[in-house]
């Protein structure tokens, strides 16, 4: 079956996401659109604004044929490991093409730049720049441009850079997948709703900072597909979304509780940062702690991911083993009629889980560790919901995948 894979977070789902799905539907009407989506936590190092089950349903109502959860160990990793985990899972589920939003739709150019980024000269220049204190992303961009100046307009754009990571993963693991970049409109990191194409950052900021719920609903309506506006409005009205300050308290709690030795075992804690982290955890807010930890070598994004590792207990060993071994399963969050033949044929290289309890209760080894982490992430994300009445845990066990008749 002709399957196009999409890697996403839908945090939250908006018109830009619907545009990508509709574009693929128009260009490839006979292809199945399979989405691998971050679950309860996202790559920026925080719980998703809305729960994964709701976000999956919104995607299915707007052009996705199936939504599969990306295991948390990959969803919270750096860009390279995030991309590798997601792309490998899509390939294991039968996708032979990968689509993503990008500032360029020139697939051949992305492939050329990705191949160039793996050259020894580029890798050595990248390592040297990091030794000099540059962030990984900045170091890689500088190294690529030095060897291939024509790449500058591409690698300096956020979505294209993530598209390069997807392309690198396909090349590194020898996956049989074509690239279908869809040119992205709007500003990816703009915190204001100033264009016709919103950024997730702007939508999250509006929802979390605007106390006038009626006004907020009208403000957001132009940026949401019509068929999810009422549902989104209801969630906002009843405060059924994560409160970021509440999550920040979890970070401070873990930072004060964990010893330097315990921190040293967590993913990405190196170069002595485990020694200064406990002192930062004594600050009055995570924002203040973050500012005290920020350095030329450690970006805010990296520190936020490390904070997530303290809250979820993601060890260096687990993340390394998961990256080395690859995804052990996919968790089906929902599907439409179009995906039925794909599900029935079961031509997957990993289990596709529909009933969580029997799977997790019999899982062993790395699979069990990854599944337990997914549960923990869901329970903590629910505990961060602003409305206390919606903080019930254990949702993974009683959720049944959505079935959308369309």
């Amino acid at each position: 079956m002709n399957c196009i894979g999409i890697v996403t977070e839908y945090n939250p789902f908006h018109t830009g996401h619907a545009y990508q799905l509709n574009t693929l539907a128009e260009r490839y009407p006979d292809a199945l659109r399979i989405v691998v989506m971050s679950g309860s936590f996202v790559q920026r190092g925080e719980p998703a604004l809305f729960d994964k089950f709701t976000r999956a349903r919104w995607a299915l109502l707007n052009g996705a044929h199936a939504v599969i959860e990306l295991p948390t160990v990959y969803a919270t990793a750096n860009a390279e490991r995030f991309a590798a985990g997601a792309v490998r899972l899509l390939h294991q589920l039968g996708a032979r093409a990968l689509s993503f939003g990008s500032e360029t739709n020139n697939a051949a150019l992305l492939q050329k730049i990705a191949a160039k980024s793996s050259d020894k000269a580029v890798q050595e220049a990248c390592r040297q720049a990091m030794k000099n204190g540059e962030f990984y992303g900045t170091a890689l961009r500088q190294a690529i441009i030095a060897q291939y100046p024509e790449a500058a307009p591409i690698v300096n754009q956020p979505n294209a850079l993530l598209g390069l990571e997807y392309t690198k993963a396909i090349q590194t693991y020898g996956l049989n997948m074509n690239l279908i970049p869809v040119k992205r409109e709007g500003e990816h990191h703009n915190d204001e709703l100033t264009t016709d194409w919103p950024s997730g950052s702007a939508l999250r900021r509006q929802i979390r900072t605007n106390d006038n719920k009626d006004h907020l609903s009208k403000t957001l309506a132009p940026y949401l597909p019509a068929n999810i506006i009422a549902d989104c409005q209801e969630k906002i009205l009843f405060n059924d979304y994560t409160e970021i300050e509440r999550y920040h308290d979890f970070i401070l709690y873990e930072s004060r509780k964990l010893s330097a030795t315990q921190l040293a075992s967590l993913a990405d804690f190196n170069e002595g940062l485990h020694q200064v982290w406990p002192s930062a955890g004594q600050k009055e807010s995570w924002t203040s702690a973050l500012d005290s930890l920020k350095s030329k070598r450690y970006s805010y994004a990296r520190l936020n991911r490390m904070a997530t590792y303290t809250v979820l207990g993601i060890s260096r060993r687990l993340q390394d083993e998961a990256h080395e071994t690859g995804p052990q399963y996919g968790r089906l969050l929902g599907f439409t009629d179009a995906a039925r033949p794909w599900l029935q044929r079961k031509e997957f290289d990993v289990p596709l889980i529909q009933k969580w309890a029997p799977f997790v209760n019999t899982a062993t080894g790395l699979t069990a560790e990854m599944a337990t982490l997914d549960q923990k992430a869901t329970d903590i994300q629910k505990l961060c919901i602003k409305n206390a009445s919606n903080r019930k845990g254990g949702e993974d066990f009683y959720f049944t995948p959505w079935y959308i008749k369309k």
Side-chain angles (χ1 to χ4, degrees):
M1 179 171 285
N2 186 13
C3 295
I4 298 174
I6 301 167
V7 182
T8 188
E9 294 187 319
Y10 293 154
N11 187 36
F13 193 90
H14 56 65
T15 51
H17 300 129
Y19 171 78
Q20 181 192 17
L21 290 165
N22 291 334
T23 298
L24 293 174
E26 292 173 1
R27 293 182 187 174
Y28 310 96
D30 297 326
L32 204 62
R33 297 179 290 278
I34 305 298
V35 171
V36 161
M37 182 187 78
S38 297
S40 298
F41 272 67
V42 294
Q43 205 259 341
R44 64 188 289 116
E46 64 183 42
L49 182 67
F50 297 117
D51 68 81
K52 62 189 179 185
F53 310 110
T54 296
R55 286 152 47 226
R57 183 164 60 85
W58 289 348
L60 293 167
L61 290 171
N62 287 280
H65 291 137
V67 179
I68 296 91
E69 179 180 359
L70 177 65
T72 306
V73 70
Y74 303 111
T76 57
N78 62 32
E80 180 183 9
R81 293 186 170 193
F82 170 89
V87 170
R88 293 166 81 183
L89 178 56
L90 279 168
H91 190 267
Q92 290 169 325
L93 295 174
R96 294 299 177 262
L98 177 71
S99 179
F100 50 87
S102 175
E103 288 81 3
T104 177
N105 56 8
N106 189 333
L109 179 59
L110 287 170
Q111 290 170 326
K112 186 174 183 178
I113 297 172
K116 180 69 69 174
S117 70
S118 298
D119 286 353
K120 289 183 179 179
V122 171
Q123 291 297 311
E124 179 55 35
C126 181
R127 282 191 291 270
Q128 188 57 51
M130 291 175 68
K131 287 180 181 179
N132 294 334
E134 295 291 355
F135 302 149
Y136 168 74
T138 301
L140 182 59
R141 284 194 293 269
Q142 291 176 351
I144 292 174
I145 293 170
Q147 295 292 320
Y148 187 40
E150 297 91 330
I154 303 302
V155 300
N156 285 322
Q157 300 294 330
N159 285 282
L161 194 59
L162 186 54
L164 281 179
E165 292 293 353
Y166 297 143
T167 308
K168 280 172 56 183
I170 290 172
Q171 294 174 349
T172 298
Y173 295 98
L175 306 180
N176 178 25
M177 298 180 79
N178 295 320
L179 295 183
I180 308 176
V182 174
K183 190 168 177 59
R184 182 186 170 92
E185 305 291 342
E187 299 176 59
H188 179 62
H189 291 299
N190 189 353
D191 279 342
E192 302 295 333
L193 295 174
T194 56
T195 69
D196 292 337
W197 300 98
S199 72
S201 298
L203 291 171
R204 290 190 299 273
R205 179 179 178 277
Q206 287 290 324
I207 290 170
R208 284 173 169 152
T209 60
N210 196 319
D211 292 330
N212 187 330
K213 302 299 184 184
D214 291 334
H215 174 72
L216 178 60
S217 297
K218 294 176 182 178
T219 301
L220 295 179
Y223 305 103
L224 303 174
N227 59 1
I228 71 169
I229 289 176
D231 195 11
C232 188
Q233 287 176 332
E234 183 176 2
K235 284 192 166 292
I236 293 170
L237 181 63
F238 291 99
N239 294 319
D240 192 10
Y241 57 87
T242 58
E243 188 173 26
I244 199 65
E245 293 79 13
R246 184 171 172 81
Y247 171 63
H248 288 172
D249 285 342
F250 280 95
I251 299 173
L252 292 179
Y253 170 75
E254 292 297 338
S255 299
R256 295 178 185 186
K257 185 183 75 171
L258 297 172
S259 68
T261 300
Q262 291 172 312
L263 288 167
S265 69
L266 299 179
D268 216 16
F269 274 81
N270 49 32
E271 299 170 336
L273 200 62
H274 63 287
Q275 298 288 356
V276 298
W277 193 280
S279 296
Q282 299 298 321
K283 298 286 186 180
E284 72 278 6
S285 69
W286 171 239
T287 301
S288 297
L290 196 58
D291 287 338
S292 72
L293 292 166
K294 174 73 171 63
S295 68
K296 190 175 182 182
R297 183 179 292 274
Y298 287 87
S299 66
Y300 286 124
R302 182 177 176 183
L303 290 168
N304 277 316
R305 283 195 298 274
M306 293 169 69
T308 290
Y309 304 154
T310 70
V311 174
L312 298 180
I314 301 178
S315 69
R316 180 181 298 104
R317 177 201 56 79
L318 174 59
Q319 195 184 82
D320 288 348
E321 186 176 349
H323 180 62
E324 178 69 24
T325 307
Q328 302 297 295
Y329 59 89
R331 201 262 176 96
L332 183 68
L333 296 177
F335 63 99
T336 69
D337 280 324
R340 278 188 174 279
W342 170 75
L343 288 171
Q344 292 168 349
R345 289 163 72 171
K346 298 181 179 179
E347 296 176 347
F348 314 131
D349 296 329
V350 290
L352 183 59
I353 310 307
Q354 298 189 41
K355 296 182 178 180
W356 187 252
F359 163 70
V360 75
N361 289 335
T362 57
T364 60
L366 177 61
T367 300
E369 287 189 84
M370 291 172 61
T372 299
L373 178 59
D374 291 344
Q375 288 174 211
K376 184 187 294 186
T378 299
D379 286 345
I380 292 177
Q381 191 264 353
K382 294 296 285 186
L383 202 54
C384 292
I385 295 295
K386 190 170 184 178
N387 187 334
S389 64
N390 293 329
R391 294 175 187 162
K392 181 180 178 181
E395 192 167 10
D396 277 311
F397 286 96
Y398 54 81
F399 171 78
T400 300
W402 298 108
Y403 167 49
I404 305 297
K405 296 181 179 181
K406 59 178 301 187

